[in-house]
Amino acid sequence: MASLTAARRLVVKIGSALLVDRATGALRADWLISLAEDVAWLKAQSVDVVLVSSGSIALGRGVLGLPHADLPLEQSQAAAAVGQIRLARAYEEVLAPHQITTAQVLVTLEDSADRRRYLNSRATLEQLLSLGVVPIVNENDTIATDEIRFGDNDRLAAQIAVTVGADVLVLLSDVDGFYSSNPTEDPTAKRYDVIEKITPEIEAMAGDAGSGLSKGGMKTKLMAAKTATAAGCAMVISEGSVQNPLRVLHGNAPATWFTAGLDPQAARKRWIGGMKPRGVVRLDAGAVSALHSGKSLLPAGVKRVSGAFERGDPVAIEGPDGHQIGLGLSRYTAQEATAIKGHRSGEIEAILGYPGRAALIHRDDMAL
């Protein structure tokens, strides 16, 4: 099983039922304070932490006095608008005493489907993490209808884990793992400690039941596990309602771990290496040597650009002799790459008329 403190990067998904008291509709402040203590504990051990938080709709409905029953779309979006600002403020207030800066990142599932938006999201999250910030990622419920349907935040958390290259995804839930059947209905239900492969038999065991506040069920958690583990990220489903839930989990509390066969970086590079290139960049010998030593590809090392590609598209990387040495995701269009090839990164703004990224292809977006 993976270890929380051994992880380089951790994504934690927090369900609505953990954050918001069902009876009163109020935030569970003491629990959130204990979670902040856990985040500070992980940060002190050089673990990057991203929080993917449900709760804006549940919190907003309490503020607005809306019923616990399913809400019409317009009321759900209104509740989200009211709840989002309170949720962000709550995270900021509990983490500030630990000298931890927070940032709210609002996304929709479409942000992971569109390559340009995906790269923008990834670059923003990477920059925040490099500055020591804890991003609080929310589904943008005020405009998105998908989250208001069944269980999107489990899938969203998995996609964020893939986006940031996390080692471990933690789904803090109102159950302590994956069971062979619904444990509230079947006293013989068995909890699995470790699942190494999601088989059709495992999928058949998943039920659709969720709590009154949380839309998620085991089916969406299995979908999240498939997404995460395929990208080299282990995933764990753990009971989150206890105080200090991450330290309790680290202390071997009951949970279900889904193992990943590859590390996130290797999985990402394998994914990139299997793409069909839409263009070609040919390099000089110095640039080839730099890439093999683990550097990013800078425009100065590019001698020729061919093809019609957009930002985020895969391009073949060739050496001076025309031999392909790898593939990478371009941070510029073919037209932009042609304009800046052979130039230093400091000249990009003068050439293009706007600030650009220093690398044409970042080392993390490259498979050699």
Side-chain angles (χ1 to χ4, degrees), residues 8-9 115 118-120 122-123 126 159-166 227-233 262-275 312 327-331 361-368:
R8 179 183 62 90
R9 186 163 289 173
R115 194 182 300 278
Y118 165 80
L119 287 173
N120 283 334
R122 184 169 182 264
E126 286 286 353
Q159 288 167 339
I160 292 298
V162 173
T163 299
V164 301
T227 299
T229 56
C233 176
L262 294 172
D263 67 80
Q265 193 66 6
R268 177 174 174 77
K269 288 183 180 295
R270 187 173 70 173
W271 169 67
I272 292 172
M275 291 180 168
L327 281 94
L329 304 182
S330 176
R331 293 190 163 191
I361 301 176
H362 192 274
R363 62 183 181 183
D364 290 344
D365 295 331
M366 191 185 306
L368 299 179

Side-chain angles (χ1 to χ4, degrees), residues 10-305:
L10 193 70
V11 173
V12 182
K13 183 263 181 176
I14 301 152
S16 301
L18 303 178
L19 276 168
V20 181
D21 185 274
R22 178 177 174 81
T24 65
L27 195 71
R28 296 181 61 216
D30 288 346
W31 180 87
L32 190 57
I33 289 171
S34 79
L35 178 71
E37 293 170 350
D38 287 356
V39 173
W41 164 69
L42 288 165
K43 291 279 292 174
Q45 298 175 75
S46 301
V47 180
D48 290 339
V49 180
V50 179
L51 301 179
V52 177
S53 181
S54 302
S56 62
I57 296 174
L59 187 60
R61 82 161 78 211
V63 174
L64 296 174
L66 297 172
H68 289 297
D70 287 341
L71 300 175
L73 176 60
E74 294 81 2
Q75 289 189 359
S76 292
Q77 291 177 325
V82 171
Q84 263 176 7
I85 192 168
R86 286 164 172 78
L87 195 61
R89 184 169 64 237
Y91 278 111
E92 182 180 34
E93 289 176 349
V94 297
L95 286 166
H98 301 284
Q99 288 74 52
I100 295 174
T101 302
T102 57
Q104 185 182 46
V105 180
L106 295 176
V107 298
T108 64
L109 289 175
E110 287 81 4
D111 290 325
S112 63
D114 181 90
R115 194 182 300 278
R116 182 185 294 268
R117 288 160 66 179
Y118 165 80
L119 287 173
N120 283 334
S121 299
R122 184 169 182 264
T124 299
L125 288 166
E126 286 286 353
Q127 184 63 53
L128 289 170
L129 291 169
S130 72
L131 294 170
V133 175
V134 172
I136 313 298
V137 181
N138 307 105
E139 179 80 14
N140 195 353
D141 301 339
T142 58
I143 61 170
T145 59
D146 281 348
E147 198 284 314
I148 297 165
R149 291 201 288 264
F150 184 73
D152 247 37
N153 269 351
D154 291 327
R155 297 200 299 271
L156 175 64
Q159 288 167 339
I160 292 298
V162 173
T163 299
V164 301
D167 306 285
V168 179
L169 167 61
V170 179
L171 299 187
L172 291 180
S173 183
D174 48 8
V175 293
D176 63 357
F178 181 87
Y179 283 79
S180 57
S181 59
N182 190 334
T184 62
E185 299 173 358
D186 181 4
T188 67
K190 171 192 173 184
R191 180 178 50 77
Y192 289 82
D193 293 331
V194 178
I195 294 177
E196 296 183 351
K197 184 178 181 181
I198 301 173
T199 63
E201 291 76 19
I202 291 292
E203 290 186 290
M205 296 174 187
D208 290 332
S211 69
L213 288 176
S214 172
K215 297 284 186 180
M218 278 299 157
K219 283 190 176 180
T220 60
K221 288 176 173 55
L222 284 187
M223 291 172 64
K226 282 185 173 181
T227 299
T229 56
C233 176
M235 192 188 94
V236 57
I237 301 172
S238 175
E239 167 64 56
S241 63
V242 297
Q243 297 287 300
N244 301 107
L246 297 176
R247 272 184 283 190
V248 169
L249 172 61
H250 185 67
N252 296 320
T256 299
W257 286 86
F258 295 81
T259 60
L262 294 172
D263 67 80
Q265 193 66 6
R268 177 174 174 77
K269 288 183 180 295
R270 187 173 70 173
W271 169 67
I272 292 172
M275 291 180 168
K276 182 178 179 179
R278 298 187 181 182
V280 178
V281 291
R282 182 169 293 183
L283 316 184
D284 60 27
V288 172
S289 177
L291 296 194
H292 285 304
S293 66
K295 305 290 186 181
S296 297
L297 174 60
L298 303 180
V302 178
K303 306 300 292 182
R304 192 172 77 183
V305 176

Side-chain angles (χ1 to χ4, degrees), residues 304-351:
R304 192 172 77 183
V305 176
S306 59
F309 54 89
E310 297 298 319
R311 181 170 176 246
D313 283 345
V315 296
I317 302 169
E318 293 181 349
D321 58 357
H323 177 70
Q324 183 172 323
I325 62 172
L327 281 94
L329 304 182
S330 176
R331 293 190 163 191
Y332 290 95
T333 67
Q335 184 178 4
E336 292 168 333
T338 299
I340 63 176
K341 67 178 175 63
H343 292 275
R344 296 185 180 277
S345 299
E347 302 175 85
I348 291 175
E349 183 173 2
I351 295 170

